[in-house]
């Protein structure tokens, strides 16, 4: 690797597995200092081992992203420790249940919205001053094409991704005259736990690994990146 993210402070949610973990490993290889957020402490520790093998450092933050006061404290802690955040990767997501709208249990709807939408708003609320404090702040959110397809039975997940896209674009417009750049990435089908839940009969070997799209995230996280307000499909 070429050290394209050397010394950049990157906060990654959903970092214990799947795409978030793959991004963390790639960012470590590019020289970033990582703040890894996920609910599963064991998964975070496994990713941390890979980060250390790459010669990088990580701060592990084992919390559920729906613990909103904890997200507020995270921003305060990062401000005290670093004074800035250079990159925010919003990769945390949950699928919920694929079922007709009328059959969806309210607690499932609430959980999907809490993880996929509200948590990212709370992260932006907490980290916005730190992204603005960076000379080249970058916010990158992971979306899915079902956000615009209105695919039957995807209910809460599709609605949540549509809301996330609107949230990201609103933020992009708000920071357009600053050094912050905001983009969305739809990585397509990837070999992740969420994908397996949605398509249980699919052969995982037929689906690309999450490592196959990490270059897109590196390019968007670089200080030199000028792309802004885009939805990118690698």
């Amino acid at each position: 690797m070429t050290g394209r993210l050397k010394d950049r402070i990157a906060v990654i949610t959903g970092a214990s597995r799947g795409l978030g973990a793959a991004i963390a490993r790639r960012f470590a290889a590019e020289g970033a200092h990582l703040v890894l957020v996920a609910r599963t402490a064991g998964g975070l520790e496994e990713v941390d081992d890979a980060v250390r093998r790459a010669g990088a450092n990580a701060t592990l933050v084992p919390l559920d992203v729906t613990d909103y006061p904890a997200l507020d404290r995270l921003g305060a802690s990062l401000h005290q420790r670093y004074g800035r955040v250079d990159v925010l990767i919003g990769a945390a997501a949950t699928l919920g249940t694929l079922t007709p709208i009328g059959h969806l249990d309210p607690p499932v709807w609430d959980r999907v919205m809490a993880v996929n939408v509200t948590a990212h708003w709370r992260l932006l609320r907490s980290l916005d001053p730190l992204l603005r404090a960076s000379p080249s702040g970058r916010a990158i959110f992971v979306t899915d094409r079902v956000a615009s397809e209105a695919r039957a039975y995807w209910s809460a997940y599709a609605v949540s991704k549509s809301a996330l896209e609107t949230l990201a674009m609103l933020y992009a417009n708000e920071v357009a005259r600053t050094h912050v750049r905001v983009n969305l990435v739809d990585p397509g089908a990837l070999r992740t736990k969420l994908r397996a839940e949605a398509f249980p009969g699919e052969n995982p070997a037929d689906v690309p690994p999450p490592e196959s799209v990490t270059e897109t995230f590196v390019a968007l996280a670089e200080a030199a990146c000028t792309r802004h307000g885009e939805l990118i499909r690698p």
Side-chain angles (χ1 to χ4, degrees), residues 73-103:
R73 293 192 296 271
L74 175 63
S77 177
L78 292 174
H79 173 74
Q80 184 177 25
R81 186 168 182 179
Y82 301 113
R84 75 180 201 278
V85 166
D86 300 304
V87 185
L88 168 62
I89 302 290
T94 189
L95 178 67
T97 306
L98 302 187
T99 188
I101 290 172
H103 297 177

Side-chain angles (χ1 to χ4, degrees), residues 12-14 19-20 23 88-93 116 120 139-145 147 157 160-162 164-165 168 183-188 190 192 194 213 217 231-232:
I12 303 175
T13 68
L19 180 58
I23 294 170
L88 168 62
I89 302 290
N116 296 359
H120 291 105
I140 307 162
F141 299 96
V142 179
T143 187
D144 191 303
R145 63 198 61 212
Y157 180 77
S160 72
K161 288 299 186 180
S162 181
L164 176 64
E165 290 184 6
N183 291 288
L184 289 149
V185 176
D186 171 9
L190 295 175
T192 64
L194 190 149
V213 297
F217 290 88
L231 195 166
I232 297 150

Side-chain angles (χ1 to χ4, degrees), residues 43-99:
L44 282 176
E45 290 169 359
E46 290 179 8
V47 176
D48 186 44
D49 289 340
V51 166
R52 292 181 183 278
R53 286 195 296 271
N57 295 307
T59 299
L60 306 185
V61 185
L63 63 82
D64 189 315
V65 292
T66 63
D67 184 348
Y68 305 136
L71 296 184
D72 293 342
R73 293 192 296 271
L74 175 63
S77 177
L78 292 174
H79 173 74
Q80 184 177 25
R81 186 168 182 179
Y82 301 113
R84 75 180 201 278
V85 166
D86 300 304
V87 185
L88 168 62
I89 302 290
T94 189
L95 178 67
T97 306
L98 302 187
T99 188

Side-chain angles (χ1 to χ4, degrees), residues 5-232:
L5 303 179
K6 181 175 173 54
D7 298 328
R8 286 178 69 71
I9 299 165
V11 177
I12 303 175
T13 68
S16 64
R17 65 189 180 197
L19 180 58
I23 294 170
R25 292 189 292 266
R26 178 64 189 278
F27 276 27
E30 294 290 356
H33 176 80
L34 306 175
V35 179
L36 304 180
V37 180
R39 185 173 54 175
T40 308
L44 282 176
E45 290 169 359
E46 290 179 8
V47 176
D48 186 44
D49 289 340
V51 166
R52 292 181 183 278
R53 286 195 296 271
N57 295 307
T59 299
L60 306 185
V61 185
L63 63 82
D64 189 315
V65 292
T66 63
D67 184 348
Y68 305 136
L71 296 184
D72 293 342
R73 293 192 296 271
L74 175 63
S77 177
L78 292 174
H79 173 74
Q80 184 177 25
R81 186 168 182 179
Y82 301 113
R84 75 180 201 278
V85 166
D86 300 304
V87 185
L88 168 62
I89 302 290
T94 189
L95 178 67
T97 306
L98 302 187
T99 188
I101 290 172
H103 297 177
L104 188 66
D105 289 336
V108 175
W109 173 279
D110 291 343
R111 175 69 182 174
V112 172
M113 294 300 162
V115 173
N116 296 359
V117 185
T118 307
H120 291 105
W121 164 62
R122 292 297 295 253
L123 273 167
L124 281 176
R125 181 175 178 272
S126 182
L127 301 185
D128 170 58
L130 301 178
L131 288 166
R132 292 173 185 260
S134 169
S136 52
R138 303 287 178 260
I140 307 162
F141 299 96
V142 179
T143 187
D144 191 303
R145 63 198 61 212
V146 300
S148 58
E149 291 179 351
R151 191 182 301 174
Y153 310 121
W154 284 71
S155 57
Y157 180 77
V159 172
S160 72
K161 288 299 186 180
S162 181
L164 176 64
E165 290 184 6
T166 300
L167 175 68
M169 290 303 153
L170 284 167
Y171 185 56
N173 288 335
E174 292 177 2
V175 299
R177 297 192 179 187
T178 74
H179 295 297
V180 180
R181 296 291 172 262
V182 184
N183 291 288
L184 289 149
V185 176
D186 171 9
L190 295 175
R191 194 184 307 156
T192 64
K193 183 176 183 291
L194 190 149
R195 174 80 183 183
E197 291 174 358
F199 299 95
E202 186 175 67
N203 183 355
D206 295 335
V207 185
E211 288 77 11
S212 64
V213 297
T214 56
E215 169 59 27
T216 297
F217 290 88
V218 172
L220 292 173
E222 286 185 286
C225 179
T226 59
R227 301 183 76 167
H228 182 62
E230 298 184 40
L231 195 166
I232 297 150

